[in-house]
Coordinates of all heavy atoms in Angstrom, one line a residue:
Chain B
A1202 N 106.7 114.8 28.4 CA 105.5 115.2 27.6 C 104.3 114.4 28.0 O 103.2 114.6 27.5 CB 105.8 115.0 26.1
R1203 N 104.4 113.5 29.0 CA 103.2 112.7 29.4 C 102.1 113.7 30.0 O 102.4 114.6 30.8 CB 103.6 111.7 30.5 CG 104.5 110.6 29.9 CD 104.7 109.5 30.9 NE 105.6 108.5 30.3 CZ 105.2 107.5 29.5 NH1 103.9 107.3 29.3 NH2 106.1 106.7 29.0
P1204 N 100.9 113.5 29.5 CA 99.8 114.4 29.9 C 99.7 114.6 31.4 O 99.3 115.6 31.9 CB 98.6 113.8 29.3 CG 99.0 112.9 28.2 CD 100.4 112.5 28.6
G1205 N 99.9 113.5 32.2 CA 99.8 113.6 33.6 C 100.8 114.6 34.2 O 100.6 115.1 35.3
F1206 N 101.8 114.8 33.5 CA 102.8 115.8 34.0 C 102.5 117.2 33.3 O 102.5 118.2 34.0 CB 104.2 115.4 33.6 CG 104.7 114.2 34.4 CD1 105.6 113.3 33.8 CD2 104.4 114.0 35.7 CE1 106.1 112.2 34.5 CE2 104.9 112.9 36.4 CZ 105.7 112.0 35.8
T1207 N 102.3 117.2 32.0 CA 102.2 118.5 31.3 C 100.9 119.2 31.8 O 100.9 120.5 31.8 CB 102.2 118.4 29.8 OG1 101.2 117.5 29.4 CG2 103.5 118.0 29.3
G1208 N 99.9 118.4 32.0 CA 98.6 119.1 32.4 C 98.4 119.3 33.9 O 97.3 119.5 34.3
A1209 N 99.5 119.2 34.6 CA 99.4 119.3 36.1 C 99.5 120.7 36.6 O 100.4 121.4 36.2 CB 100.5 118.4 36.8
H1210 N 98.5 121.1 37.4 CA 98.6 122.5 38.0 C 99.3 122.4 39.3 O 99.0 121.5 40.1 CB 97.2 123.0 38.2 CG 97.1 124.5 38.5 ND1 97.6 125.0 39.7 CD2 96.6 125.5 37.8 CE1 97.4 126.3 39.7 NE2 96.8 126.6 38.6
P1211 N 100.2 123.3 39.6 CA 101.1 123.2 40.8 C 100.3 123.5 42.1 O 100.8 123.2 43.2 CB 102.1 124.3 40.6 CG 101.5 125.3 39.6 CD 100.6 124.5 38.7
M1212 N 99.1 124.1 42.0 CA 98.4 124.4 43.3 C 97.3 123.5 43.6 O 96.5 123.7 44.5 CB 98.0 125.9 43.2 CG 99.2 126.8 43.5 SD 98.9 128.5 43.0 CE 98.5 129.2 44.6
V1213 N 97.2 122.4 42.8 CA 96.2 121.4 43.1 C 96.6 120.7 44.4 O 97.8 120.6 44.7 CB 96.1 120.4 41.9 CG1 95.5 119.1 42.3 CG2 95.3 121.0 40.8
S1214 N 95.7 120.2 45.2 CA 96.0 119.6 46.5 C 97.0 118.5 46.4 O 97.1 117.8 45.4 CB 94.7 119.1 47.2 OG 94.3 118.0 46.5
Q1215 N 97.8 118.2 47.5 CA 98.8 117.2 47.4 C 98.2 115.8 47.1 O 98.9 115.0 46.5 CB 99.7 117.3 48.7 CG 98.9 116.9 49.9 CD 99.7 117.3 51.2 OE1 100.6 118.2 51.1 NE2 99.3 116.7 52.3
E1216 N 97.0 115.6 47.6 CA 96.5 114.2 47.4 C 96.3 113.9 45.9 O 96.3 112.8 45.5 CB 95.2 113.9 48.1 CG 94.6 115.0 48.8 CD 93.3 114.7 49.5 OE1 93.2 113.7 50.1 OE2 92.3 115.5 49.3
L1217 N 96.2 115.0 45.1 CA 95.9 114.8 43.7 C 97.2 115.0 42.9 O 97.2 115.1 41.7 CB 94.9 115.8 43.2 CG 93.5 115.7 43.9 CD1 92.6 116.8 43.4 CD2 92.9 114.3 43.6
S1218 N 98.4 115.2 43.6 CA 99.6 115.4 42.9 C 100.7 114.4 43.3 O 101.9 114.7 43.2 CB 100.1 116.8 43.3 OG 99.1 117.8 43.2
Q1219 N 100.3 113.3 43.8 CA 101.3 112.3 44.3 C 102.3 111.9 43.3 O 103.5 111.7 43.7 CB 100.5 111.1 44.9 CG 99.7 111.4 46.1 CD 100.6 111.7 47.3 OE1 101.4 110.9 47.8 NE2 100.6 113.0 47.8
G1220 N 102.0 111.7 42.1 CA 102.9 111.2 41.1 C 104.1 112.2 40.9 O 105.3 111.8 41.0
A1221 N 103.8 113.4 40.8 CA 104.9 114.4 40.6 C 105.7 114.6 41.9 O 106.9 114.7 41.9 CB 104.3 115.8 40.3
M1222 N 105.0 114.5 43.0 CA 105.7 114.7 44.3 C 106.6 113.5 44.5 O 107.7 113.6 45.1 CB 104.7 114.8 45.5 CG 104.0 116.2 45.3 SD 102.7 116.4 46.6 CE 103.6 116.8 48.0
E1223 N 106.2 112.3 44.1 CA 107.0 111.1 44.3 C 108.3 111.3 43.4 O 109.4 111.0 43.9 CB 106.3 109.8 43.9 CG 107.1 108.6 44.0 CD 106.3 107.3 43.8 OE1 105.1 107.3 43.8 OE2 107.0 106.3 43.5

Side-chain angles (χ1 to χ4, degrees):
Chain B
R1203 291 187 183 274
F1206 291 145
T1207 55
H1210 190 292
M1212 286 163 98
V1213 160
S1214 70
Q1215 63 196 19
E1216 5 176 49
L1217 301 174
S1218 312
Q1219 291 292 296
M1222 293 174 78
E1223 180 173 343

